[in-house]
Amino acid sequence: MANFGGHAIPGSFFLLYGFWLAVKYILKHYWRTRQHKGRQVTPPFFKRMEYFEGGLQIFASFVGIMVEQFVVDGPHAHLYNKESSEWVKLMNWQHSTMYLFFGISGIALVATTRCKVVPAGTDRVALSLALFVEGFLFYYHVHHRPLLDAHIHSLLLVAVFGGSASTMLEVFIKDNIILELLRACFFILQGSWFYQIGFVLYPLSGPVWDQTLHDNIMFVTMCFCWHLAVALLLVTCTSSVVWWTVSRFSEKGQDIEIGMRNTLSKTNSQKALLEESDEE
Amino acid sequence: MANFGGHAIPGSFFLLYGFWLAVKYILKHYWRTRQHKGRQVTPPFFKRMEYFEGGLQIFASFVGIMVEQFVVDGPHAHLYNKESSEWVKLMNWQHSTMYLFFGISGIALVATTRCKVVPAGTDRVALSLALFVEGFLFYYHVHHRPLLDAHIHSLLLVAVFGGSASTMLEVFIKDNIILELLRACFFILQGSWFYQIGFVLYPLSGPVWDQTLHDNIMFVTMCFCWHLAVALLLVTCTSSVVWWTVSRFSEKGQDIEIGMRNTLSKTNSQKALLEESDEE
Amino acid sequence: MANFGGHAIPGSFFLLYGFWLAVKYILKHYWRTRQHKGRQVTPPFFKRMEYFEGGLQIFASFVGIMVEQFVVDGPHAHLYNKESSEWVKLMNWQHSTMYLFFGISGIALVATTRCKVVPAGTDRVALSLALFVEGFLFYYHVHHRPLLDAHIHSLLLVAVFGGSASTMLEVFIKDNIILELLRACFFILQGSWFYQIGFVLYPLSGPVWDQTLHDNIMFVTMCFCWHLAVALLLVTCTSSVVWWTVSRFSEKGQDIEIGMRNTLSKTNSQKALLEESDEE
Amino acid sequence: MANFGGHAIPGSFFLLYGFWLAVKYILKHYWRTRQHKGRQVTPPFFKRMEYFEGGLQIFASFVGIMVEQFVVDGPHAHLYNKESSEWVKLMNWQHSTMYLFFGISGIALVATTRCKVVPAGTDRVALSLALFVEGFLFYYHVHHRPLLDAHIHSLLLVAVFGGSASTMLEVFIKDNIILELLRACFFILQGSWFYQIGFVLYPLSGPVWDQTLHDNIMFVTMCFCWHLAVALLLVTCTSSVVWWTVSRFSEKGQDIEIGMRNTLSKTNSQKALLEESDEE
């Protein structure tokens, strides 16, 4: 993956995932704050979102692993070459390992949403571990590289481990919108920083960056802060737009909703009772 | 900013901000503990204080960025000089970045106070991030400097990251007067240490400090602890004076207040009801 | 213990202990979630499990210390040889120290289960300290070793300190099934990694590993992540099997149980009352 | 203080303080668990204990500072010698600074006990800061020393920073007997380790320790774990003895107490009401 595309693809994924998280959690937060007392059952819409997210994670991880393994110059599922006594394409194996853990995180998300016996928070532990493994492998990945290369990758670790820590906190502090948006923010930051790494190490045009110049290090450090500021801005804008849209739609829908509620109230309360008795 | 003034200006700002925080939170704490059960609405006075603080942060950050950019030997908003293939005045750009995040923190404070939909704690996350970015940039700032210079700046990081961590804790542990005063204390410590850095690196009179002498390092480390002791003392004195003053005034004002309350009680309770129904 | 067996024995113990923890906590979790409101007294079965676990820990630690001390080439309880002015077999003494702390943890577990005056959580503090001491001694143990040897042992520390931290968290966040299974997971990871260390440093067959090759370091790092994935899988499978088994058995037993409950309800509630009055 | 006595004196103080803390908190815990519902006012006995502790801390710190300053070869309150352009006896100044913070902690303890407006937890923040400052100064203290000297002092830091962290936790998790006894344990560990440092660096008899021998480092690391085990044992024994003694005495005293309570109940409840109205 030592080219621009190899950094742009994961970057795009993380960017999209960050936006998706921001939208999902703002919708959930809207539901929590505007919740009508009579209906405490989570609407099936959120469950479907979780299934979709989990399924996509599993699918993308599977594709990622396959591509890393069976690309033309990949290891083709060979780990050790006995003849030459050498490990085969360890870089591809490391990337496969990272994908594997994001796949596990997807499975955990689906399981948590599907089965009531899976304790709440399992999905977040799995996501936190996936980020931890990503950072852990990157950490030993970047040793012995040129100065700028090592520095720009170690800045990525700030976003990765920051995301891992904030996700782990979410296991204990649930339904905290600030932590949830912080997580989205860390994913967007990670995504945009992947692009930045691509631009710096494999410039599409213009001169190659001097890997040892101290001024380049200083600029890159500062640039990471700008990416953080932009990530904060993007999360804020996305959240505001989603909140405003949902508020407007639900206002319009209210008259109809009230009409429906009168008819449906009995059915609803019966359903709620049934679900409660299931949980017991 | 490599002169005494360049350290005295941010130092004064942080000192004043620390005192302001101490006063604000003691007033809030007084309100919380002496709160009359009938009136749970935060008085508009506190809101106005927050607007003032946020507005000042935004204004000061804006001025700071402008000065750093358009000072005589500044970068004048140029980041890269294509002719000489060099970054332009990265130090000024780094300081601008720091100001930017304090500006964002100001905007977050105003937004949190103004809109009910902005989740409580957003202002503290933003402030914590601003301190983190400050420390983060300083950390890479001071590499490759003479021993004493690097050491005296790395001690500053203790105050900066300590403040960042305690502010982040406040997101989860709300209305804890100890954390709030600790934050004030860290800001005062940071402010007074900026002055100390100015005195040590750019002495107004007397001999220049030997940058490599081990005894100087030892003295500076100990001196940081003295600054901490003084910061604790200042926060304690400020708090005591404010508490005592407010107590005396509120005792005097009580008779009148009781008279007013009888008249106003109905209006108040109606207002409270209205606000509550808004929140729903 | 510088041979394969010396790593396989502790590895097996940690693996078994991890599985035991998974089974124990799933049973406890089942009890907590399916708890019938009328019977809040912990069944004596759980107490017996704790006694068994604590007793085994004490016994195994005692045997471990004895073996380390009185093995043929052991120190035979001599610490310092005055004639040659040398410490006697410090490695064996260090292992004895590790066993000692796991013994203390066993005593704490028995005491916490037996006496009501011993505050709940003492057993977890002791276990956390035992893991901390293990990691602490290992940390200084592996200095000045060849690169691969040092690296593979320092990866063990991730599992050890991770377990210590998550166990310490359990002191404050009680009855959290996620933390409890995470602890089991860390023990299984530690156990399987001990085996891996044995395979790498003392291969049963095949060539000796090159201690300085960078590719070996990279593979070992990745392999640690695979062990983590397997540990997660094993904990999940164990938990599912136990949960499913218990659910089936308790369904079958329910009819009888209901019959018994009608008869026993009075006795039970009286017992509960008595125990409550004891606790006061 | 570079002699055996200079390590034995603070060691004795920390040992005694650790035992005092264990006794105090077990008494408090006994009171909390056996508390009769009717009397929720803390008995004046505990307040007197706090005053005594705080007063002793202030007194001991004052004496410590005076001794460090005005001992025969001390700095006599001179900080800088202008003639020789040298700092005067920085080591004594550093020790004075450490004492100063323990003095501040004593003042905070007295203030918290005396005034209701001082927020609960202030004493623990001050004690945590005192330990932090001690560790902070020690950290830069031990740079550039021989290997064994640096190592044995850096192990002390484990006890110091451990105590600081657990005390800071107590600010947020109040009345947790495990944390309170852990604090006592860290102080006893610190005290006994001071003695160990004295024995190793300034042996009363026998040969001088080889400062560079790796085996010495290994033994000292292991020895620290033994000190931890002994500290745990001492805290456990002290707690058990105190608990058992108090239980026996209070059983004997109960008959008399019940008699007294009948008479005093009205007075007590009136007092409680008065105190409650004060707090409002």
Side-chain angles (χ1 to χ4, degrees):
Chain A
M1 310 248 286
N3 53 45
F4 181 78
H7 286 87
I9 294 171
S12 311
F13 265 103
F14 283 121
L15 268 177
L16 284 176
Y17 188 52
F19 279 113
W20 164 266
L21 286 180
V23 172
K24 183 176 86 171
Y25 284 121
I26 280 297
L27 286 177
K28 274 200 172 170
H29 184 59
Y30 184 83
W31 171 260
R32 281 198 298 263
T33 50
R34 299 284 152 120
Q35 204 171 19
H36 298 283
K37 264 77 196 182
R39 312 180 291 174
Q40 288 185 353
V41 192
T42 326
F45 172 64
F46 288 119
K47 286 209 166 185
R48 260 179 250 135
M49 277 176 88
E50 304 285 17
Y51 286 136
F52 176 72
E53 186 185 323
L56 210 72
Q57 270 188 41
I58 298 169
F59 177 72
S61 303
F62 182 75
V63 170
I65 292 172
M66 287 298 114
V67 167
E68 288 284 344
Q69 289 292 329
F70 299 105
V71 82
V72 179
D73 60 344
H76 295 269
H78 293 289
L79 180 59
Y80 192 72
N81 188 336
K82 281 198 176 167
E83 286 159 35
S84 63
S85 294
E86 272 180 350
W87 299 102
V88 183
K89 304 266 169 202
L90 276 181
M91 203 70 107
N92 293 48
W93 277 101
Q94 288 211 347
H95 292 145
S96 303
T97 307
M98 292 181 194
Y99 288 131
L100 173 68
F101 273 85
F102 280 102
I104 292 175
S105 149
I107 295 170
L109 183 57
V110 170
T112 313
T113 315
R114 185 79 195 80
C115 310
K116 274 180 186 168
V117 296
V118 177
T122 308
D123 53 328
R124 265 152 270 178
V125 171
L127 187 59
S128 176
L129 280 178
L131 284 166
F132 174 78
V133 164
E134 192 199 336
F136 181 76
L137 286 176
F138 259 114
Y139 179 78
Y140 291 103
H141 211 73
V142 300
H143 268 183
H144 312 296
R145 298 237 193 137
L147 191 59
L148 182 66
D149 194 339
H151 183 66
I152 207 168
H153 275 99
S154 72
L155 289 177
L156 186 70
L157 293 184
V158 174
V160 174
F161 284 125
S164 178
S166 92
T167 312
M168 190 50 93
L169 254 183
E170 277 185 69
V171 177
F172 306 108
I173 304 173
K174 276 161 194 155
D175 295 340
N176 185 316
I177 184 67
I178 288 184
L179 275 180
E180 290 165 347
L181 291 185
L182 211 61
R183 172 149 53 114
C185 185
F186 277 121
F187 272 106
I188 291 177
L189 175 61
Q190 207 192 134
S192 72
W193 194 247
F194 260 112
Y195 269 95
Q196 183 73 39
I197 295 177
F199 283 126
V200 169
L201 297 187
Y202 314 100
L204 298 176
S205 66
V208 175
W209 289 50
D210 183 346
Q211 294 264 343
T212 52
L213 193 68
H214 187 246
D215 260 18
N216 280 344
I217 303 282
M218 269 180 79
F219 169 72
V220 159
T221 311
M222 184 172 60
C223 188
F224 185 76
C225 298
W226 296 353
H227 278 257
L228 176 59
V230 170
L232 288 173
L233 185 72
L234 286 174
V235 167
T236 311
C237 290
T238 314
S239 307
S240 310
V241 168
V242 173
W243 184 273
W244 182 81
T245 315
V246 179
S247 300
R248 270 203 75 185
F249 271 87
S250 75
E251 266 167 41
K252 275 192 191 166
Q254 212 153 34
D255 295 339
I256 314 160
E257 208 183 354
I258 288 168
M260 283 173 71
R261 232 192 308 162
N262 290 335
T263 331
L264 289 170
S265 56
K266 270 187 185 173
T267 335
N268 257 321
S269 52
Q270 282 169 349
K271 261 190 198 167
L273 276 168
L274 282 169
E275 295 227 9
E276 268 174 34
S277 58
D278 279 348
E279 278 176 52
E280 271 178 25
Chain B
M1 308 247 289
N3 54 46
F4 181 78
H7 286 88
I9 294 171
S12 310
F13 265 103
F14 283 121
L15 268 176
L16 285 176
Y17 187 51
F19 279 112
W20 164 266
L21 285 180
V23 171
K24 182 177 86 171
Y25 285 121
I26 280 296
L27 286 177
K28 274 200 173 171
H29 184 58
Y30 184 84
W31 170 260
R32 281 197 300 261
T33 51
R34 301 283 153 119
Q35 204 170 18
H36 299 282
K37 264 74 197 183
R39 311 180 291 174
Q40 288 185 351
V41 192
T42 326
F45 173 63
F46 288 120
K47 286 211 165 184
R48 260 179 250 135
M49 277 175 89
E50 305 285 19
Y51 286 137
F52 176 71
E53 187 186 321
L56 210 71
Q57 270 188 41
I58 298 169
F59 177 73
S61 303
F62 182 74
V63 169
I65 292 173
M66 287 298 114
V67 167
E68 287 285 343
Q69 290 291 330
F70 299 105
V71 82
V72 178
D73 60 343
H76 295 270
H78 292 289
L79 181 60
Y80 192 72
N81 188 336
K82 282 196 174 170
E83 286 158 34
S84 62
S85 294
E86 272 179 349
W87 299 101
V88 183
K89 303 267 169 201
L90 276 181
M91 203 69 107
N92 293 49
W93 277 100
Q94 288 211 346
H95 292 146
S96 302
T97 307
M98 293 182 193
Y99 288 131
L100 173 69
F101 273 85
F102 280 102
I104 290 174
S105 149
I107 294 170
L109 183 57
V110 169
T112 315
T113 315
R114 186 76 195 83
C115 309
K116 275 179 186 167
V117 297
V118 177
T122 309
D123 52 328
R124 266 153 269 178
V125 171
L127 187 58
S128 177
L129 280 178
L131 284 167
F132 174 77
V133 164
E134 192 199 335
F136 182 75
L137 287 175
F138 259 115
Y139 179 77
Y140 291 103
H141 210 74
V142 300
H143 268 183
H144 313 297
R145 297 238 193 139
L147 191 60
L148 182 66
D149 194 338
H151 183 66
I152 208 168
H153 275 99
S154 72
L155 290 177
L156 186 70
L157 294 185
V158 175
V160 174
F161 284 125
S164 179
S166 92
T167 312
M168 191 52 93
L169 255 182
E170 278 185 70
V171 177
F172 307 109
I173 305 173
K174 275 162 195 154
D175 295 340
N176 185 314
I177 184 67
I178 287 182
L179 275 179
E180 290 165 348
L181 291 185
L182 210 62
R183 169 147 56 113
C185 186
F186 276 122
F187 272 106
I188 290 176
L189 175 60
Q190 206 192 135
S192 73
W193 194 248
F194 260 112
Y195 268 95
Q196 184 72 39
I197 294 177
F199 283 126
V200 169
L201 297 187
Y202 315 98
L204 297 177
S205 66
V208 175
W209 290 50
D210 182 348
Q211 295 263 344
T212 54
L213 194 67
H214 187 247
D215 261 17
N216 280 344
I217 302 282
M218 270 180 78
F219 169 71
V220 160
T221 312
M222 184 172 59
C223 188
F224 185 75
C225 298
W226 295 354
H227 277 258
L228 176 59
V230 170
L232 288 173
L233 185 72
L234 287 174
V235 167
T236 312
C237 289
T238 314
S239 306
S240 310
V241 168
V242 172
W243 185 273
W244 182 81
T245 314
V246 179
S247 301
R248 270 203 74 186
F249 271 87
S250 75
E251 267 167 41
K252 275 193 192 168
Q254 213 152 34
D255 295 339
I256 313 161
E257 209 183 354
I258 289 167
M260 282 173 71
R261 234 194 306 161
N262 290 336
T263 332
L264 290 170
S265 56
K266 271 189 182 172
T267 335
N268 258 321
S269 52
Q270 282 169 350
K271 261 189 199 166
L273 278 168
L274 281 169
E275 297 225 9
E276 268 173 36
S277 58
D278 279 349
E279 277 176 53
E280 271 176 27
Chain C
M1 308 249 286
N3 54 46
F4 181 78
H7 286 88
I9 294 171
S12 311
F13 265 103
F14 282 121
L15 268 177
L16 285 176
Y17 188 51
F19 279 112
W20 164 265
L21 286 180
V23 172
K24 184 176 86 171
Y25 284 121
I26 280 297
L27 287 177
K28 274 199 173 171
H29 185 58
Y30 184 84
W31 170 259
R32 281 197 298 261
T33 51
R34 299 284 152 119
Q35 204 171 19
H36 299 284
K37 263 75 195 183
R39 309 180 294 174
Q40 288 185 352
V41 192
T42 326
F45 172 64
F46 288 119
K47 285 211 167 183
R48 261 179 249 134
M49 277 176 88
E50 305 286 18
Y51 286 136
F52 175 72
E53 186 186 323
L56 210 72
Q57 269 189 40
I58 298 169
F59 177 73
S61 303
F62 182 75
V63 170
I65 293 173
M66 287 298 114
V67 167
E68 287 286 344
Q69 289 292 329
F70 299 106
V71 83
V72 178
D73 61 342
H76 295 269
H78 292 289
L79 180 60
Y80 192 71
N81 188 336
K82 281 197 176 170
E83 285 158 34
S84 62
S85 294
E86 274 178 350
W87 299 101
V88 183
K89 305 266 170 200
L90 276 181
M91 204 70 108
N92 294 49
W93 278 100
Q94 288 209 347
H95 292 146
S96 303
T97 306
M98 293 180 193
Y99 288 130
L100 173 68
F101 272 85
F102 279 102
I104 290 175
S105 150
I107 295 171
L109 183 56
V110 171
T112 313
T113 316
R114 185 78 195 81
C115 309
K116 275 180 185 165
V117 297
V118 177
T122 308
D123 53 327
R124 266 153 268 179
V125 171
L127 187 59
S128 175
L129 279 177
L131 283 166
F132 174 77
V133 164
E134 193 199 335
F136 182 75
L137 286 175
F138 259 114
Y139 179 77
Y140 291 103
H141 212 73
V142 300
H143 268 184
H144 313 296
R145 297 237 194 140
L147 192 59
L148 182 66
D149 194 339
H151 184 66
I152 206 170
H153 274 100
S154 72
L155 290 177
L156 186 70
L157 294 185
V158 174
V160 174
F161 284 125
S164 179
S166 91
T167 313
M168 191 51 93
L169 254 182
E170 279 186 68
V171 177
F172 306 109
I173 304 173
K174 275 162 196 153
D175 294 340
N176 185 314
I177 184 66
I178 288 183
L179 275 180
E180 289 165 348
L181 292 184
L182 210 62
R183 171 147 56 112
C185 186
F186 277 121
F187 271 106
I188 290 177
L189 175 61
Q190 206 192 136
S192 72
W193 195 247
F194 259 112
Y195 269 95
Q196 183 72 39
I197 294 177
F199 283 126
V200 169
L201 298 187
Y202 314 99
L204 297 176
S205 67
V208 175
W209 290 50
D210 184 346
Q211 296 265 341
T212 53
L213 193 67
H214 188 247
D215 260 18
N216 280 344
I217 302 282
M218 269 180 80
F219 169 72
V220 160
T221 310
M222 184 172 59
C223 188
F224 185 77
C225 297
W226 295 353
H227 277 257
L228 176 59
V230 170
L232 288 174
L233 184 73
L234 287 174
V235 167
T236 311
C237 291
T238 315
S239 306
S240 309
V241 169
V242 172
W243 185 273
W244 181 81
T245 316
V246 179
S247 300
R248 271 204 73 186
F249 271 86
S250 76
E251 265 167 41
K252 276 192 190 166
Q254 213 153 36
D255 295 339
I256 315 163
E257 207 183 355
I258 288 167
M260 282 172 72
R261 232 193 307 163
N262 290 337
T263 331
L264 289 172
S265 57
K266 269 189 185 173
T267 336
N268 257 323
S269 54
Q270 282 170 347
K271 260 190 201 166
L273 276 168
L274 281 169
E275 295 226 10
E276 269 174 34
S277 58
D278 278 349
E279 275 175 55
E280 272 176 25
Chain D
M1 308 249 288
N3 53 46
F4 181 78
H7 286 88
I9 295 172
S12 311
F13 265 103
F14 282 122
L15 268 177
L16 285 176
Y17 188 51
F19 280 112
W20 164 265
L21 285 180
V23 172
K24 183 176 88 173
Y25 284 120
I26 280 297
L27 286 177
K28 274 200 173 171
H29 184 58
Y30 183 84
W31 171 259
R32 281 197 298 260
T33 51
R34 300 283 151 119
Q35 205 171 19
H36 299 283
K37 263 75 196 182
R39 309 180 292 173
Q40 289 185 351
V41 192
T42 327
F45 172 63
F46 287 119
K47 286 211 165 183
R48 261 180 249 134
M49 277 176 89
E50 305 286 18
Y51 286 136
F52 175 73
E53 187 185 322
L56 211 72
Q57 270 189 39
I58 298 169
F59 177 73
S61 303
F62 182 74
V63 170
I65 292 172
M66 287 297 115
V67 167
E68 287 286 343
Q69 289 292 329
F70 298 106
V71 83
V72 178
D73 61 343
H76 296 270
H78 292 289
L79 180 59
Y80 192 72
N81 188 337
K82 282 198 175 169
E83 285 157 34
S84 63
S85 294
E86 274 179 347
W87 299 101
V88 183
K89 304 267 168 201
L90 275 182
M91 203 70 107
N92 294 49
W93 277 100
Q94 288 210 346
H95 292 145
S96 302
T97 306
M98 293 180 193
Y99 288 130
L100 173 68
F101 272 84
F102 280 101
I104 291 174
S105 149
I107 295 171
L109 183 57
V110 170
T112 314
T113 316
R114 186 76 196 83
C115 309
K116 276 179 184 167
V117 296
V118 177
T122 309
D123 53 328
R124 266 153 267 178
V125 171
L127 187 59
S128 176
L129 280 178
L131 284 167
F132 174 77
V133 164
E134 193 199 333
F136 181 76
L137 287 175
F138 258 115
Y139 179 77
Y140 291 103
H141 211 74
V142 301
H143 268 182
H144 313 297
R145 297 238 194 139
L147 191 59
L148 182 66
D149 194 339
H151 183 66
I152 207 168
H153 275 99
S154 72
L155 290 176
L156 186 69
L157 293 185
V158 175
V160 174
F161 284 125
S164 179
S166 91
T167 312
M168 191 52 93
L169 255 182
E170 279 185 68
V171 176
F172 306 108
I173 304 173
K174 274 162 196 155
D175 295 339
N176 185 315
I177 184 67
I178 288 183
L179 275 180
E180 289 165 349
L181 291 184
L182 210 62
R183 171 148 54 115
C185 186
F186 277 121
F187 271 106
I188 290 176
L189 175 61
Q190 205 192 136
S192 72
W193 195 247
F194 259 112
Y195 268 95
Q196 185 72 38
I197 294 177
F199 283 126
V200 169
L201 297 187
Y202 314 100
L204 297 177
S205 66
V208 175
W209 290 50
D210 184 346
Q211 296 264 342
T212 54
L213 194 68
H214 187 247
D215 261 18
N216 281 343
I217 303 282
M218 269 180 78
F219 169 72
V220 159
T221 311
M222 183 173 59
C223 189
F224 184 76
C225 297
W226 295 354
H227 277 258
L228 176 60
V230 170
L232 288 173
L233 185 73
L234 287 174
V235 167
T236 311
C237 290
T238 313
S239 306
S240 311
V241 169
V242 172
W243 185 273
W244 182 81
T245 314
V246 178
S247 300
R248 270 204 73 187
F249 270 85
S250 75
E251 266 167 40
K252 276 192 191 167
Q254 213 153 34
D255 295 340
I256 314 162
E257 209 183 354
I258 288 167
M260 282 173 71
R261 233 195 304 163
N262 291 337
T263 332
L264 289 172
S265 55
K266 271 188 183 172
T267 336
N268 259 320
S269 53
Q270 283 170 348
K271 261 190 198 166
L273 277 169
L274 280 170
E275 296 225 9
E276 269 173 34
S277 58
D278 278 349
E279 275 175 54
E280 272 177 25

